[in-house]
Amino acid sequence: PPAHSRSDWIGPPDKHSNLRPIIFYRPPEESRLERRLREARQEAQASNQRFWARHNRTFRQEKEEFIYSRLKAKGLEMRDESGQKATLNAEEMADFYKDFLSKNLKKHLQYNRDWYKRNFRITFLMGQVALVRALRWLRWRKKNVEQ
Amino acid sequence: GLFVWRLRNTGVRQRPCRFMHLYHVANDRLITFQYFNFLKRMYVTQCNKDLSQRAKPKSDSIVSPFHELQQLDQEKKAVNKISPISSPVHHLWSETSSRNKWRELKSTAETEDSGIPVGNESKEDRRWKEMKLRLDDLPGILARLSKIKLTALVVSTTSAGFAMAPVPFELTCFLLASLGTGLASCAANSINQFFEVPFDSNMNRTKNRPLVRGQISPLLAVCFAASCGIPGIALLTLGVNPLTGALGAFNIFLYTCCYTPLKRMSIANTWVGAVVGAIPPVMGWTAATGTLDAGALLLGGILYSWQFPHFNALSWGLREDYSRGGYCMMSVTHPGLCRRVALRHCLALIGLSTLAPVLNITTWTFPIISLPINLYISYLGFRFYKDADRSSSRKLFFCSLWHLPMLLLVMFTCKKSVLEKEDKGDLPRGSHETAMEIRLP
């Protein structure tokens, strides 16, 4: 993002977590409330990024392992004659999906709770900041009108 | 995750085969045909982009058709430069916008090594964007936030409920009920998207939503939801009747506070979601009559039963995304149950259709005329139950898309007219006193 910009910038989805990173703009006259909001958002972003990057990596690894073990059991290699990667069909993968989901359920429940709490907190702070800004603007306008 | 789907040469599905062959044809012919193909596919898939995650027909990722067409125009030029892709074995199937399909085919080679790309980004997506709200983008953004097409479907089921009520048609009441329901639906959908940002980012189908892309702030989404929901419910309560308002409010609550969190906790979410989908026609009925009687419940029951073949068939193809995203869906955890339930409810539809004339809502022609389509969907449900594969699930899903509108249409044409009821002396309404008087000795 350009140096002179006064707003946040959002980027393309991250390769591992599929989340879009945000670069937050820090105004020089940032108030305490605004700083709390920015830090909360940064923290949430970092936490989400960590979670999903790790989760997706685990998924990919376990999927590979599963495919490998199943192919082994069937007596096939990972790549067939034409060099294409061998895959299992959807029905065979279904066992893996079921297994993976139940293994990670508790992790997800924990994450959900965290995410909802963070989301509400950030939105509430946004509301506060917006309110403060609106009041400030009204006061400024009143002053201007009086002058 | 990507959904790799092996092309079978038998060509069970005509469109994908054509789709692949086209890549070996001259570019310009390719473009126009592909373009047409996409429009066709867009039409089919856009009708009920319910695509999982919803029981209340609040489907997602519905970019407005014009938006899509514009993108396709731009992409047409981009595609001209693509040489025929020679690794055709991996046909990437995703039920997202057609734009994604283009991108996926463009870069089949890349996908093998990267992380778990959720579809592939176009050049535009790879840029950094300023998070500033532009006012002329706002209508489009809000339309996507509120899942406007799904909302339209919900409103149409509500009007079906209204139309089936055995009372004279009142236009103002009808319009108020539709508007109120539409607003309530927008509110519920926005809140749903507000809750699900990181999960939506990780699923192919939903990663282009406004909150995921940062086109709108969460605060604004919540404000929008409030500014739709509160007037919507107020309109229903004050402009129509309190019962409809209460049902609307309850439905919003059920969808946002029960269904959405439950999706990640237990498979019971599907049943809750089916109730969410069943309430709008009930609301239409209560808007017309002011009471919650058997007819309302029957209509609700029909929508409730319909949700299962529709959703279960859809979710069959999205198991990978659900598994990775942490969604508890029957198709992943209890596949047998998934198919059984779908079949069970297809058959239930036959039963419910037969119940309609018993409750004096329609004439006896209704179960007779609707029998063919009900039998057909039950047959597809049975095939899905037996075969449990992608092709049968897709057939069932696409059948459910036209089955419901047809069923409601037939129901409406077979509606027991108000006059008929007068003759039988069924309607104890004041305005029909003249008819009653004749019978008095």
Side-chain angles (χ1 to χ4, degrees):
Chain A
H4 61 266
S5 163
R6 284 186 59 102
S7 47
D8 301 335
W9 283 70
I10 191 167
D14 178 82
K15 214 167 74 144
H16 299 291
S17 68
N18 294 312
L19 302 174
R20 288 174 182 262
I22 301 179
I23 294 186
F24 298 98
Y25 168 68
R26 187 184 177 156
E29 68 281 359
E30 192 181 48
S31 71
R32 211 155 44 104
L33 192 65
E34 287 171 348
R35 202 195 68 207
R36 263 171 55 199
L37 171 64
R38 185 177 52 83
E39 286 173 354
R41 289 174 79 189
Q42 278 169 331
E43 215 263 298
Q45 182 171 272
S47 159
N48 279 344
Q49 171 72 14
R50 273 196 311 268
F51 176 84
W52 284 104
R54 200 175 53 201
H55 179 75
N56 289 342
R57 196 174 41 234
T58 315
F59 181 80
R60 195 159 45 107
Q61 276 170 352
E62 291 193 12
K63 186 176 172 186
E64 289 289 319
E65 284 169 18
F66 177 81
I67 292 179
Y68 183 66
S69 64
R70 278 294 170 97
L71 286 174
K72 230 14 198 331
K74 289 208 284 195
L76 300 167
E77 283 302 316
M78 278 300 287
R79 284 178 190 270
D80 60 23
E81 300 89 40
S82 57
Q84 299 286 350
K85 225 168 146 184
T87 54
L88 300 172
N89 70 27
E91 299 320 311
E92 291 166 327
M93 292 304 298
D95 290 331
F96 167 68
Y97 297 143
K98 176 173 172 183
D99 205 37
F100 187 80
L101 187 66
S102 36
K103 267 202 301 205
N104 286 277
L105 194 62
K106 218 159 105 197
K107 196 168 79 167
H108 278 294
L109 288 175
Q110 178 68 33
Y111 173 75
N112 288 348
R113 253 200 307 271
D114 278 344
W115 158 247
Y116 270 64
K117 274 203 293 233
R118 266 194 246 268
N119 200 18
F120 278 125
R121 182 155 172 266
I122 289 173
T123 310
F124 185 69
L125 282 170
M126 278 182 168
Q128 281 181 306
V129 167
L131 207 62
V132 163
R133 283 195 188 142
L135 289 171
R136 213 188 302 158
W137 181 78
L138 280 170
R139 249 181 281 140
W140 174 84
R141 231 183 54 145
K142 213 170 81 167
K143 229 175 19 184
N144 267 8
V145 166
E146 281 170 3
Q147 273 173 5
Chain B
L2 292 168
F3 214 93
V4 179
W5 187 53
R6 272 255 151 87
L7 248 192
R8 306 239 162 82
N9 278 338
T10 49
V12 170
R13 228 161 310 297
Q14 288 308 314
R15 271 179 244 114
C17 279
R18 250 187 281 149
F19 203 64
M20 288 317 299
H21 288 175
L22 285 167
Y23 265 97
H24 302 288
V25 175
N27 272 347
D28 25 357
R29 262 207 301 150
L30 172 77
I31 304 309
T32 41
F33 196 93
Q34 288 283 42
Y35 186 74
F36 179 62
N37 233 8
F38 271 137
L39 286 179
K40 262 205 302 185
R41 207 195 285 252
M42 229 171 56
Y43 173 72
V44 171
T45 51
Q46 119 190 343
C47 277
N48 269 319
K49 270 312 196 115
D50 223 21
L51 312 182
S52 73
Q53 278 204 34
R54 69 83 175 206
K56 183 167 185 178
K58 291 183 173 174
S59 82
D60 63 75
S61 83
I62 308 254
V63 183
S64 75
F66 295 120
H67 187 62
E68 275 302 298
L69 285 172
Q70 280 164 20
Q71 288 173 355
L72 280 170
D73 270 331
Q74 291 162 3
E75 233 117 15
K76 255 163 91 169
K77 303 188 191 82
V79 170
N80 265 317
K81 304 192 188 84
I82 302 173
S83 52
I85 293 182
S86 54
S87 63
V89 183
H90 289 242
H91 179 229
L92 298 164
W93 171 258
S94 79
E95 314 227 25
T96 55
S97 67
S98 44
R99 191 170 175 206
N100 279 341
K101 292 196 187 70
W102 278 112
R103 285 186 238 129
E104 281 154 23
L105 286 156
K106 265 195 249 174
S107 44
T108 36
E110 293 167 27
T111 60
E112 298 221 17
D113 310 325
S114 48
I116 299 191
V118 190
N120 293 304
E121 312 96 39
S122 72
K123 290 221 164 31
E124 202 186 301
D125 271 356
R126 266 185 243 132
R127 286 190 292 130
W128 279 76
K129 296 231 181 77
E130 191 176 6
M131 282 178 88
K132 207 181 355 213
L133 188 65
R134 282 173 186 78
L135 259 97
D136 34 338
D137 289 340
L138 193 62
I141 292 175
L142 291 180
R144 266 174 288 151
L145 186 68
S146 60
K147 300 187 203 168
I148 198 88
K149 288 193 192 145
L150 178 52
T151 299
L153 289 168
V154 168
V155 169
S156 62
T157 54
T158 308
S159 31
F162 193 96
M164 287 307 301
V167 291
F169 183 78
E170 275 175 46
L171 187 64
T172 41
C173 189
F174 173 73
L175 291 174
L176 288 174
S178 302
L179 185 62
T181 310
L183 288 172
S185 168
C186 287
N189 286 333
S190 308
I191 297 286
N192 170 265
Q193 290 199 20
F194 166 72
F195 282 158
E196 302 256 287
V197 178
F199 314 118
D200 284 345
S201 318
N202 272 281
M203 290 187 46
N204 242 335
R205 185 169 66 85
T206 54
K207 63 196 172 100
N208 284 315
R209 287 181 168 177
L211 280 169
V212 172
R213 294 169 88 179
Q215 292 171 318
I216 193 175
S217 79
L219 180 68
L220 213 57
V222 173
C223 291
F224 173 70
S227 63
C228 281
I230 297 175
I233 300 296
L235 194 65
L236 288 174
T237 319
L238 303 170
V240 181
N241 58 53
L243 179 60
T244 315
L247 282 172
F250 176 65
N251 213 15
I252 294 182
F253 166 74
L254 206 61
Y255 184 63
T256 56
C257 303
C258 298
Y259 172 67
T260 303
L262 213 56
K263 269 196 299 194
R264 310 184 58 81
M265 297 201 283
S266 120
I267 60 171
N269 69 73
T270 313
W271 281 267
V272 172
V275 174
V276 172
I279 289 185
V282 177
M283 281 168 68
W285 184 287
T286 59
T289 64
T291 58
L292 198 69
D293 45 10
L297 295 175
L298 178 75
L299 260 169
I302 289 183
L303 260 291
Y304 177 80
S305 281
W306 176 82
Q307 304 287 341
F308 289 99
H310 177 78
F311 180 71
N312 286 0
L314 175 65
S315 67
W316 198 258
L318 299 170
R319 284 177 287 179
E320 169 160 4
D321 270 0
Y322 282 149
S323 167
R324 189 166 56 85
Y327 284 109
C328 300
M329 300 294 175
M330 269 194 281
S331 59
V332 181
T333 57
H334 298 79
L337 178 70
C338 179
R339 299 187 325 267
R340 268 201 309 276
V341 164
L343 179 61
R344 218 186 289 163
H345 283 272
C346 285
L347 297 171
L349 281 172
I350 301 180
L352 287 167
S353 303
T354 328
L355 206 55
V358 173
L359 294 174
N360 260 338
I361 302 169
T362 65
T363 58
W364 277 98
T365 48
F366 174 60
I368 298 171
I369 301 183
S370 65
L371 196 64
I373 53 174
N374 284 338
L375 279 179
Y376 183 61
I377 198 175
S378 303
Y379 167 70
L380 289 180
F382 179 71
R383 281 256 67 86
F384 176 51
Y385 175 69
K386 271 274 164 309
D387 302 340
D389 61 358
R390 278 276 281 172
S391 83
S392 53
S393 72
R394 277 169 54 83
K395 283 209 192 104
L396 181 60
F397 173 69
F398 284 117
C399 174
S400 72
L401 295 186
W402 58 257
H403 172 270
L404 183 68
M406 270 210 90
L407 190 70
L408 292 176
L409 197 66
V410 172
M411 198 181 205
F412 181 64
T413 53
C414 296
K415 176 183 173 183
K416 209 162 220 179
S417 74
V418 173
L419 271 114
E420 256 186 60
K421 285 201 186 170
E422 264 183 46
D423 293 341
K424 297 200 180 141
D426 277 353
L427 274 178
R429 310 259 295 183
S431 54
H432 304 302
E433 260 164 5
T434 39
M436 303 267 272
E437 269 171 10
I438 298 170
R439 282 190 189 66
L440 290 173

